[in-house]
Amino acid sequence: MFRYSVVCALEEMPRGNPTLLFGEPDELAHKLTILGANAVELEISDPFRFDASEVKRAFMRELISVAAISTDLEYTKNGICLIEQNYIKRREHIEKLKGHIDFAQKLNCPVSIGMVRGMLPTAGDDYEIDRAVECFTESLCDLCDYAASKGVKIYLQALLRYLSNYLNSAGETISYAKSLGISNLGVSLDTHSMLMEEKDLAHELFLYAASIDHIRFSEGNRLCLGHGNVDFKKAMSALIDGGYDGYIGISALPYPDGMECARRSINYLRALESSLGPI
């Protein structure tokens, strides 16, 4: 059986963010147990605001694992960016993200690097673009080195083109990660992004299933799973055939509310899974 995680936050989220639940750790853990989820993916804008030990205890009491910590809010709320051209500011941003790694070490989970990698210049000469990529690579390697010293894995996300003009597709992201030769650097995919980037989502999932560490299931319209244009039955079948054995994260807009959307999405995926037969 697949293991399902739900994207949650420890703070109230901006309207339009595809995060299903937010609240105190005890409250979240209890809700996830009611939903029958196996794990949580935590969106955190500032790791220094929370006590990692208390967060860990809350989820452990309900036997809920922490699948990953997402750093996207550091970009959308705080402007943290790994291609910041000012060296001093970039070092400050890297140090802030090291706080997420320290937090993740206490929760025994990976850290996801997505939007914080920043957006490449949409206009400009090749030097500007090459310099941005160079800054990102240096920053990522620094974070991976620090994470390795803490026993933490880093997940690099493939993102939509309109969010970032670099490492959009699954193949690009996997190839880039492998080229760095860093043992604690993995790859995370999202069906919402893949739908915009890949010609055949299921084929790409089958092709790369054994090479990815984590995947989020999300509709193109970000609604409850099963109410959009992603063929999740084919996606699940491709992951099974390709040998994927990680979590499936559930990301959607909290409509009609977070609990109901999460409940419908989990039940929908479990029904699809049952229709595929034993895994």
Side-chain angles (χ1 to χ4, degrees):
M1 291 179 63
F2 281 115
R3 295 169 296 160
Y4 298 101
S5 62
V6 177
V7 179
C8 303
L10 299 177
E11 58 196 282
E12 188 170 357
M13 299 299 291
R15 186 177 179 84
N17 202 86
T19 302
L20 284 163
L21 304 170
F22 67 87
E24 296 295 322
D26 286 319
E27 177 188 7
L28 288 176
H30 181 62
K31 287 181 177 179
L32 291 172
T33 299
I34 292 173
L35 291 168
N38 307 102
V40 62
E41 293 176 45
L42 287 176
E43 300 267 8
I44 297 178
S45 66
D46 185 352
F48 303 105
R49 284 182 54 193
F50 307 101
D51 186 325
S53 298
E54 289 185 7
V55 174
K56 181 178 180 179
R57 281 194 293 271
F59 289 114
M60 283 185 66
R61 277 195 292 268
E62 298 282 354
L63 302 180
I64 299 294
S65 301
V66 181
I69 289 175
S70 170
T71 57
D72 283 353
L73 289 179
E74 287 282 22
Y75 179 77
T76 57
K77 293 186 71 172
N78 304 327
I80 297 296
C81 173
L82 294 178
I83 61 170
E84 166 62 52
Q85 296 297 292
N86 182 291
Y87 178 78
I88 294 176
K89 286 185 178 180
R90 190 165 75 252
R91 292 308 311 172
E92 292 174 352
H93 292 182
I94 291 171
E95 291 305 312
K96 180 69 181 298
L97 291 174
K98 286 180 179 179
H100 288 266
I101 293 170
D102 292 336
F103 197 90
Q105 181 190 31
K106 294 177 181 177
L107 271 64
N108 191 31
C109 72
V111 172
S112 179
I113 298 295
M115 296 179 71
V116 292
R117 73 192 194 200
M119 294 179 67
L120 290 183
T122 55
D125 57 30
D126 290 341
Y127 173 79
E128 290 182 276
I129 295 174
D130 290 344
R131 178 56 185 153
V133 173
E134 182 182 342
C135 288
F136 173 70
T137 301
E138 291 175 356
S139 301
L140 181 63
C141 288
D142 190 340
L143 287 172
C144 285
D145 285 345
Y146 184 77
S149 73
K150 301 289 183 175
V152 172
K153 190 160 189 174
I154 299 291
Y155 288 168
L156 180 61
Q157 290 178 276
L159 288 176
L160 277 172
R161 183 171 289 111
Y162 66 79
L163 293 177
S164 174
N165 301 336
Y166 181 51
L167 305 180
N168 305 306
S169 71
E172 287 175 345
T173 308
I174 291 168
S175 295
Y176 172 79
K178 287 183 176 179
S179 74
L180 297 178
I182 300 173
S183 61
N184 67 322
L185 179 61
V187 172
S188 174
L189 302 182
D190 182 327
T191 58
H192 175 76
S193 292
M194 292 186 74
L195 192 67
M196 308 299 179
E197 297 293 338
E198 315 291 359
K199 292 181 179 179
D200 186 336
L201 186 148
H203 174 72
E204 296 298 312
L205 286 179
F206 170 74
L207 201 61
Y208 298 118
S211 299
I212 61 175
D213 297 86
H214 182 72
I215 187 165
R216 278 187 181 181
F217 275 7
S218 185
E219 292 281 12
N221 57 16
R222 293 295 199 188
L223 295 181
C224 179
L225 302 192
H227 292 264
N229 55 349
V230 177
D231 189 332
F232 287 111
K233 186 171 184 177
K234 282 187 177 179
M236 295 177 87
S237 180
L239 289 173
I240 293 169
D241 293 342
Y244 179 71
D245 62 357
Y247 289 102
I248 290 179
I250 297 171
S251 174
L253 295 170
Y255 179 81
D257 61 69
M259 280 293 285
E260 181 62 16
C261 183
R263 183 189 67 79
R264 292 180 185 178
S265 295
I266 290 175
N267 289 345
Y268 171 72
L269 292 181
R270 292 207 185 279
L272 289 183
E273 186 178 348
S274 295
S275 72
L276 293 172
I279 297 176

